[in-house]
Amino acid sequence: MLNYQDLIEQGKQAGFTHVAPLKVSTIQLMSEVRDMCATNSCGAYGKKWSCPPGCGDLDTCRERIQQYTAGILVQTVGNLEDEMDYESMAETNEKHKENYLRFYEQLRKQFPNMLALGTGGCTQCKTCTYPDAPCRFPDKMISSMEAYGMLVSQVCQDNNLPYYYGKCTLAYTGCFLLE
């Protein structure tokens, strides 16, 4: 049984603004979210093992997720000067990545078989081997929640964690499936 209070405290010490329990049974994988990935607005579609189609189809992702019963959601929330404050957006994104990787390394010691789903594609390697060779570090690869077909705002809502914190705020959200 997970000690959520301890995990929440560890997450906050890692630098996250918010940490909340995640019931895996609430996760819904949606083809519409994967369709958004296919538009390739981030430039990673079909170029990384962590992104579609490299991370597997929705059935494959569903099978991986169903191995777990519980986890935690983590967020880094940033404040923007205005809705076009790209500098603060980038700073918040970088802070979230740092928090996420710090907590990831900490949790791996406690939960070596966890499934980490963050924001954006995996950044373990400068250049991914996809599709020409196997992933160099499959045990360290981190896919995004969206790559797995999750609508992040819905996952947050279904687990009583706000996704929107008001005008001129931005929340980066990831999760760790632990059991």
Side-chain angles (χ1 to χ4, degrees):
M1 187 73 175
L2 292 179
N3 180 338
Y4 282 113
Q5 285 307 109
D6 186 47
L7 289 169
I8 290 168
E9 184 59 34
Q10 288 178 46
K12 288 188 176 182
Q13 287 177 2
F16 292 108
T17 312
H18 303 284
V19 183
L22 168 62
K23 285 200 249 177
V24 175
S25 62
T26 65
I27 296 173
Q28 301 173 40
L29 304 187
M30 303 175 184
S31 58
E32 298 86 355
V33 175
R34 289 296 288 271
D35 291 345
M36 287 188 280
C37 283
T39 66
N40 199 25
S41 62
C42 71
Y45 185 84
K47 294 182 181 157
K48 294 184 175 196
W49 285 109
S50 63
C51 296
C55 64
D57 61 21
L58 285 182
D59 289 334
T60 300
C61 294
R62 189 172 287 107
E63 287 175 22
R64 287 185 194 130
I65 289 170
Q66 288 175 343
Q67 296 174 36
Y68 302 90
T69 58
I72 59 170
L73 286 162
V74 294
Q75 285 181 335
T76 305
V77 177
N79 294 307
L80 311 175
E81 288 183 25
D82 58 50
E83 294 172 1
M84 304 303 276
D85 182 3
Y86 296 112
E87 184 178 323
S88 294
M89 290 178 197
E91 288 172 4
T92 303
N93 182 38
E94 190 59 35
K95 182 178 178 185
H96 181 74
K97 284 181 184 180
E98 290 170 6
N99 295 343
Y100 194 88
L101 291 175
R102 181 181 312 111
F103 199 39
Y104 172 80
E105 289 302 326
Q106 183 179 343
L107 286 176
R108 276 182 53 131
K109 295 172 188 169
Q110 299 172 62
F111 305 97
N113 297 317
M114 73 177 172
L115 177 60
L117 299 171
T119 57
C122 186
T123 58
Q124 291 291 328
C125 301
K126 186 174 182 174
T127 304
C128 186
T129 59
Y130 185 85
D132 302 320
C135 176
R136 293 180 195 101
F137 305 103
D139 60 323
K140 291 185 176 184
M141 180 175 49
I142 300 171
S143 290
S144 70
M145 293 174 71
E146 293 90 349
Y148 267 57
M150 295 180 205
L151 184 60
V152 178
S153 59
Q154 187 68 49
V155 174
C156 290
Q157 179 181 331
D158 291 345
N159 287 277
N160 303 310
L161 179 67
Y163 179 75
Y164 179 68
Y165 291 90
K167 187 176 178 175
C168 291
T169 63
L170 179 64
Y172 286 94
T173 305
C175 70
F176 297 93
L177 306 184
L178 303 172
E179 288 189 333

